[in-house]
Amino acid sequence: MSHSENPHVELFRQEALELLADVQECLLLIEDAPEDKDAINRLFRAMHSIKGAGGMFGYDRITDFTHHVESALDQVREGRLAISRELIDLVLASHDCIKEMLDDEKSMSQDRLQEIQRGLESLGGSNAIAPTSKAAIKTPSSGLSMYRIRFRPDARIFFSGTDPMRLIQELSEMGDCRIVCNLSEVPGFAALNPELCYLYWDIILRTKSTLNQIEDVFIFVASESQIDISIVDEEDIEDSQYKKLGEILVERGDIPKENLEQALHESETIGARLIKKSLVDPHKIESALAEQEMVRSARAKRQQETAMASIRVNADKLDRLVDLVGELVTAQARISRIAESIRTNQELSDVAEELESLTTRLRDETMGIRMVPIGSVVSTFRRLIRDLAKDLKKDIEFTCIGEETELDKGVIERLKDPLVHIVRNSTDHGIELPEIRAAAGKPAQGNIRLEAMHSGAHVLIKITDDGKGLDIEAIHRKAIDKGLVSPDQNISENELFQLIFAPGFSTAEKVTELSGRGVGMDVVRQNIEALRGSISIDSAKGKGITITLKLPLTLAIIDGLMVTMDQDSFIIPLASVEECVDLDHQEMDKIKGRNILNLRGVAVPFVRLRERLHRTTKTPEREQVVITNLEGKRMGVVVDAVVGSHQTVLKNLGPAMRQARDVSGATILGDGSVALILDLQSIQ
Amino acid sequence: MADKDVKDPEQYLTFVLDSEIYAVEIGKVREVLDMIRITHVPNMPAFMRGVINLRGGVVPVIDLREKFHLTKVADTVTTCIIILELFLDGVETLVGAVADSVREVMRLDDLKLEAPPRMGNRLKTEFIRGMINRDNEFIIVLDIMKVFSMEELEALSDRNVLAGSPTSETVSTTKEQLC
């Protein structure tokens, strides 16, 4: 059946695929933490949506099949069916079937579907949990509850050495907290005994903590003090109208119902009227108002969260938006430049300044929209490792730290393949079989860890496994065989590891025995470098391996250092710049054209940009050196002058300039001229 | 450019290069710019003058005199950049071409596009789509896709690249010794 002509059907397919991804992620979460009610609910909802939408678009077999899966999940949700390995396997298998059917519904074998169905049904018989336990599983949802606490300490509380402030402080650390202090019982100055506590507090607390945990705060003062705690608003409560001020006061017992009703017949706001009539003390009104506001804002926030969760935008539109913002940044730089040259016009300067700040914010927001958490890619790894480990009869645990770390959408998309490659290598060649691990004194279960973190304008991704690691001697031998190093050459461990990335090195026939590293690490490196990132490797034989990827946050705009040479401007990526120093011409005489710079006692090689770019103009009296650092290799670039940092909108040079070397792109400067971005990798 | 008539293949933009008149299909011409500052891109063939900023886009510029191996001259007030819309590697790309001056947009009407003579041409025959004889003035109609094919853009790079590099080295070493 071909559905592709209908755009609605295509939309459904996309959505179903996203839901399936969610299904898979939930399943793997549940496998690790069976008590995760959130994930179970999410899983059920996703299956339910697939079923519903499938029916609408004529995917009858999907609907039919999904119905059975949904029923099983419904039992799980209601606590009538326990989560087991078999259940997870079956639902994962259904996930695969549904995915296949989305592409081609007809050719799916009925036997396969029925097998899963039967499996699910038989689970329903054997793993069913007695209905009594249902209540136990249905704990209050993991969400937030709102408590109303009135804490009226005993007047002599200070004598026991307790400071009520401490307790209130403790409460406020438990969550979102509104505190109103009631002063109505404070006597006049003459009668005031400074050793007594006249105050009491109304506290509205929105927290994940339970009632017991809140009571525990008051455990030492509970006997003397008056403490009332009640639940005002729970996530589960249907969002009806929040309570009126009068209702809150009556509920708290601050005012009898009759007085309230009497007051309601008059026309001012209820609070003002009650105070005027001295029916209730102003602090109590204030406190009740605080509660009302907090409930209101909490609900509003919740509604907002649900509304925000579902905005779907075509990725192309985002790309166009980023292009436009890039142009806007360039145009704004021109305005700023003009405003600076016409200093007399204050209004223009003001507008230019405002425009600059707006553009910067717009740019950051736009880039922010394109940011995607790396978790979106990682979830596919869980499945990959799980399945691969099962096939290879290995026991592997996959942990991920920093899933929420965000990267540009474009970077993430192009990062997926290299990451899959690395993770697959670790699973396939890195982690040993359980018996071998046990024999080597390691835990039978192997571990693959993915860590993502921000580091300046970069994101670091570390993939670590505790497998057999790299055999440094074998690599050395291989390198000698291949003529990459000479036998008597002194080569560092790190340099040997880098050889793994050399084209043709790792693709050699005996690679698995040799290194435990798979094929095509050179391709991985190329992919990473195409993203203007870098890759490094660290390993100890028998202990495992760590691969670190360093990637730029975005591909569209970078921080650059603007330099000039021969009246042209150039941009050096700021991330690679260490420092700028003057070129000492006297020093140059001493070294006699050997192009080595003495930087505080350290020899740093340098390149004259003028020579490198074949400019025939004369070298100026004064020159500056930009000290760059590329993966630990330092290099000076001699330029005429360093101008300063520059927000650089990256532009491609296009196919006509494909053979350009030493430059990786161009950018438009504030004056409308074009500056080239230097490619340090190629210059080095 | 929305006007259908303008896209008419029978219309040509004529321009001058080394006192000869050339023509390109008007449909390929986006616009004509006065000479502006061109940023030189290193290590490119000599006919690649560099890149310019065209309303926020980076556009490569080719010197047609260099490309056709005509004598070099300094830019004059009439020197201009013809912005052409081409397909390179299947991607629509803008490319600038430097000419001595532009003349006019002409219609072919009853004039005839004749086959180029086999002899006496200063440029490759495949670059020429045909000749127009108008009042005893010969106009060379270029096959612009051939002139700016990827092969052409890359072919000459090896021969012309790095011209002038020895001189720059001599200059800087003498400079160093002076300091």
Side-chain angles (χ1 to χ4, degrees):
Chain A
M1 145 177 352
S2 167
H3 288 288
S4 49
E5 321 81 50
N6 187 336
H8 295 291
V9 174
E10 186 47 40
L11 205 66
F12 158 72
R13 275 200 63 232
Q14 270 179 27
E15 203 177 312
L17 285 174
E18 278 170 37
L19 286 167
L20 281 174
D22 204 30
V23 163
Q24 179 166 305
E25 201 188 315
C26 288
L27 279 170
L28 298 166
L29 276 174
I30 294 166
E31 191 171 30
D32 288 341
E35 69 286 353
D36 191 341
K37 292 295 285 181
D38 259 1
I40 296 170
N41 285 329
R42 235 171 83 203
L43 174 62
F44 176 79
R45 277 198 302 271
M47 269 301 175
H48 184 75
S49 309
I50 294 171
K51 184 184 91 170
M56 261 170 72
F57 291 99
Y59 284 89
D60 293 333
R61 289 187 72 190
I62 291 188
T63 311
D64 199 42
F65 174 65
T66 314
H67 176 72
H68 292 276
V69 186
E70 192 198 344
S71 324
L73 292 177
D74 195 32
Q75 287 177 32
V76 174
R77 198 167 65 128
E78 296 191 337
R80 284 186 283 125
L81 183 65
I83 289 155
S84 60
R85 181 95 190 197
E86 296 81 48
L87 177 80
I88 304 255
D89 280 340
L90 281 168
V91 183
L92 274 178
S94 345
H95 160 275
D96 297 344
C97 288
I98 296 170
K99 203 167 175 181
E100 278 174 43
M101 283 194 280
L102 277 174
D103 284 336
D104 186 359
E105 208 184 16
K106 270 190 193 146
S107 64
M108 172 56 64
S109 103
Q110 190 63 29
D111 290 350
R112 212 170 127 196
L113 295 183
Q114 266 169 2
E115 194 185 321
I116 296 172
Q117 278 173 30
R118 271 197 301 275
L120 286 170
E121 275 157 26
S122 69
L123 276 183
S126 58
N127 281 28
I129 303 172
T132 39
S133 61
K134 185 179 164 186
I137 286 181
K138 204 184 173 187
T139 47
S141 74
S142 65
L144 298 157
S145 297
M146 193 176 287
Y147 299 91
R148 172 200 296 154
I149 303 154
R150 175 163 294 178
F151 172 40
R152 192 192 278 268
D154 181 56
R156 296 163 62 82
I157 187 168
F158 296 132
F159 291 89
S160 67
T162 310
D163 182 357
M165 272 317 292
R166 285 272 167 76
L167 303 175
I168 290 168
Q169 185 89 42
E170 202 174 318
L171 280 182
S172 69
E173 280 161 12
M174 293 171 93
D176 197 1
C177 192
R178 229 24 91 85
I179 302 155
V180 178
C181 178
N182 194 306
L183 307 166
S184 61
E185 283 166 30
V186 181
F189 193 65
L192 186 85
N193 179 350
E195 295 190 329
L196 294 182
C197 175
Y198 298 101
L199 309 173
Y200 72 91
W201 290 271
D202 280 320
I203 299 139
I204 307 296
L205 177 64
R206 189 163 173 260
T207 175
K208 280 188 171 164
S209 310
T210 62
L211 191 63
N212 279 337
Q213 284 168 313
I214 296 171
E215 279 169 349
D216 283 350
V217 173
F218 298 104
I219 195 156
F220 296 112
V221 295
S223 49
E224 289 89 26
S225 306
Q226 184 196 334
I227 294 150
D228 300 316
I229 305 173
S230 52
I231 294 180
V232 206
D233 185 45
E234 240 183 312
E235 209 96 299
D236 287 349
I237 296 174
E238 280 302 309
D239 284 10
S240 56
Q241 277 193 316
Y242 44 85
K243 287 183 184 125
K244 300 244 164 58
L245 176 58
E247 285 175 283
I248 298 173
L249 287 168
V250 173
E251 212 175 277
R252 290 172 167 210
D254 284 340
I255 172 180
K257 207 170 177 185
E258 309 81 66
N259 287 3
L260 172 75
E261 273 163 11
Q262 191 195 340
L264 273 175
H265 291 293
E266 293 159 41
S267 58
E268 286 169 77
T269 67
I270 181 74
R273 272 178 275 155
L274 291 169
I275 295 166
K276 205 152 119 198
K277 299 211 146 225
S278 308
L279 291 171
V280 72
D281 131 55
H283 293 293
K284 288 183 176 158
I285 299 277
E286 195 192 324
S287 157
L289 280 173
E291 175 180 328
Q292 192 184 40
E293 192 200 321
M294 207 151 148
V295 175
R296 211 184 307 183
S297 69
R299 288 202 178 139
K301 201 173 160 199
R302 230 148 56 206
Q303 273 165 8
Q304 201 187 358
E305 274 164 11
T306 11
M308 267 169 26
S310 57
I311 294 178
R312 201 176 277 268
V313 185
N314 190 325
D316 291 346
K317 282 188 182 171
L318 273 185
D319 291 345
R320 280 203 295 276
L321 187 65
V322 169
D323 286 349
L324 283 173
V325 169
E327 281 177 37
L328 189 67
V329 169
T330 314
Q332 172 265 316
R334 278 176 72 187
I335 296 273
S336 294
R337 211 181 130 267
I338 293 166
E340 224 166 86
S341 59
I342 316 172
R343 290 236 171 118
T344 46
N345 192 333
Q346 186 57 38
E347 212 179 340
L348 179 65
S349 306
D350 290 349
V351 171
E353 213 165 280
E354 198 181 331
L355 187 67
E356 186 174 347
S357 96
L358 282 173
T359 317
T360 311
R361 272 168 54 199
L362 180 65
R363 187 200 67 210
D364 291 348
E365 288 294 323
T366 314
M367 292 300 165
I369 297 175
R370 282 172 55 99
M371 290 299 190
V372 183
I374 193 156
S376 58
V377 184
V378 169
S379 63
T380 56
F381 296 162
R382 279 187 207 284
R383 180 76 192 271
L384 178 82
I385 293 172
R386 186 186 184 277
D387 291 356
L388 212 57
K390 212 170 153 187
D391 288 351
L392 296 166
K393 305 204 166 36
K394 291 180 183 176
D395 188 5
I396 301 176
E397 186 196 21
F398 176 67
T399 43
C400 179
I401 302 162
E403 274 172 303
E404 68 289 343
T405 310
E406 288 183 328
L407 263 167
D408 189 273
K409 179 178 74 74
V411 179
I412 291 232
E413 277 164 10
R414 289 159 66 185
L415 187 61
K416 197 174 167 179
D417 287 347
L419 273 183
V420 165
H421 200 97
I422 294 170
V423 169
R424 190 184 272 272
N425 268 344
S426 279
T427 319
D428 211 352
H429 312 299
I431 306 278
E432 314 90 327
L433 289 165
E435 313 86 70
I436 299 173
R437 290 181 63 88
K442 291 199 227 179
Q445 189 182 49
N447 194 320
I448 298 176
R449 194 172 73 230
L450 190 146
E451 264 178 283
M453 69 203 96
H454 282 286
S455 154
H458 288 87
V459 166
L460 295 181
I461 299 174
K462 280 189 185 172
I463 302 103
T464 310
D465 71 52
D466 62 351
K468 59 179 173 240
L470 291 180
D471 186 343
I472 193 93
E473 277 138 42
I475 295 174
H476 201 172
R477 279 199 304 275
K478 184 86 191 176
I480 293 167
D481 282 357
K482 292 218 128 198
L484 292 166
V485 288
S486 63
D488 45 348
Q489 193 179 347
N490 205 350
I491 184 163
S492 77
E493 221 169 71
N494 199 23
E495 281 170 303
L496 279 173
F497 288 149
Q498 293 303 323
L499 288 175
I500 296 281
F501 299 117
F505 183 82
S506 51
T507 48
E509 46 302 325
K510 280 187 185 168
V511 64
T512 24
E513 294 93 304
L514 167 79
S515 59
R517 275 290 125 186
V519 189
M521 284 308 275
D522 54 330
V523 180
V524 169
R525 182 168 78 165
Q526 272 172 25
N527 285 338
I528 299 296
E529 279 173 0
L531 290 166
R532 291 190 296 108
S534 62
I535 184 166
S536 64
I537 199 164
D538 191 23
S539 170
K541 191 180 175 186
K543 294 263 173 61
I545 194 166
T546 299
I547 292 177
T548 309
L549 308 178
K550 189 178 171 194
L551 295 153
L553 277 178
T554 166
L555 296 177
I557 298 183
I558 61 160
D559 280 317
L561 182 73
M562 183 149 80
V563 299
T564 58
M565 191 276 293
D566 193 15
Q567 284 153 14
D568 278 339
S569 301
F570 297 89
I571 303 286
I572 299 176
L574 199 58
S576 314
V577 174
E578 273 189 354
E579 61 180 307
C580 303
V581 292
D582 282 337
L583 187 69
D584 189 341
H585 280 139
Q586 281 177 353
E587 184 83 16
M588 288 304 104
D589 284 349
K590 278 191 240 157
I591 56 158
K592 293 268 185 285
R594 261 181 302 145
N595 286 8
I596 303 266
L597 186 76
N598 178 359
L599 186 71
R600 293 184 297 274
V602 182
V604 178
F606 68 83
V607 175
R608 285 176 178 275
L609 196 58
R610 180 170 271 97
E611 287 169 22
R612 181 79 195 189
L613 304 188
H614 315 299
R615 298 295 172 96
T616 46
T617 47
K618 272 196 159 187
T619 315
E621 289 289 310
R622 272 193 62 192
E623 287 176 288
Q624 284 185 296
V625 194
V626 180
I627 307 293
T628 63
N629 190 329
L630 218 62
E631 291 159 53
K633 260 196 235 161
R634 288 164 113 193
M635 177 186 61
V637 180
V638 181
V639 298
D640 290 359
V642 173
V643 180
S645 73
H646 183 263
Q647 281 288 332
T648 309
V649 182
L650 299 180
K651 300 267 179 190
N652 212 316
L653 283 175
M657 293 278 181
R658 206 162 47 193
Q659 352 146 43
R661 272 180 293 132
D662 297 348
V663 293
S664 59
T667 190
I668 312 260
L669 299 180
D671 63 0
S673 66
V674 181
L676 300 174
I677 297 159
L678 294 179
D679 180 358
L680 293 175
Q681 215 117 27
S682 134
I683 291 177
Q684 221 176 36
Chain B
M1 286 277 157
D3 192 347
K4 195 176 161 272
D5 204 37
V6 182
K7 286 271 183 195
D8 188 344
E10 299 284 287
Q11 285 194 44
Y12 293 90
L13 174 77
T14 58
F15 59 91
V16 181
L17 264 186
D18 204 15
S19 2
E20 288 216 54
I21 304 165
Y22 294 83
V24 285
E25 279 168 56
I26 200 82
K28 296 268 192 298
V29 179
R30 160 79 68 100
E31 61 193 295
V32 178
L33 304 175
D34 286 335
M35 198 59 192
I36 52 169
R37 191 172 135 69
I38 300 175
T39 303
H40 180 254
V41 178
N43 305 326
M44 294 298 286
F47 62 80
M48 280 284 187
R49 281 277 287 260
V51 286
I52 55 162
N53 163 19
L54 183 68
R55 283 183 297 280
V58 175
V59 175
V61 176
I62 284 150
D63 194 323
L64 286 179
R65 272 184 178 263
E66 281 280 356
K67 178 72 194 161
F68 296 157
H69 306 296
L70 309 173
T71 39
K72 269 190 206 175
V73 287
D75 294 339
T76 66
V77 277
T78 59
T79 308
C80 57
I81 304 172
I82 303 168
I83 303 292
L84 302 160
E85 290 175 343
L86 303 171
F87 274 92
L88 289 179
D89 263 11
V91 186
E92 199 187 43
T93 315
L94 295 181
V95 174
V98 178
D100 292 356
S101 63
V102 279
R103 288 185 87 187
E104 61 181 336
V105 176
M106 61 167 275
R107 283 180 154 277
L108 205 50
D109 291 332
D110 27 305
L111 295 168
K112 245 178 78 189
L113 190 63
E114 290 162 29
R118 284 170 184 272
M119 310 264 288
N121 278 316
R122 285 197 283 178
L123 53 154
K124 280 194 195 174
T125 327
E126 59 180 72
F127 289 169
I128 305 172
R129 180 191 280 175
M131 308 281 273
I132 298 168
N133 182 349
R134 189 175 67 175
D135 310 330
N136 282 334
E137 189 182 53
F138 275 99
I139 299 169
I140 304 162
V141 178
L142 292 174
D143 187 339
I144 210 71
M145 291 306 277
K146 291 263 169 58
V147 178
F148 292 114
S149 68
M150 272 321 282
E151 295 78 54
E152 278 301 324
L153 291 176
E154 286 178 351
L156 289 166
S157 55
D158 295 326
R159 205 171 78 198
N160 288 5
V161 83
L162 309 192
S165 54
T167 27
S168 70
E169 261 158 35
T170 7
V171 169
S172 43
T173 30
T174 38
K175 182 80 195 163
E176 258 167 45
Q177 280 150 4
L178 286 173
C179 284

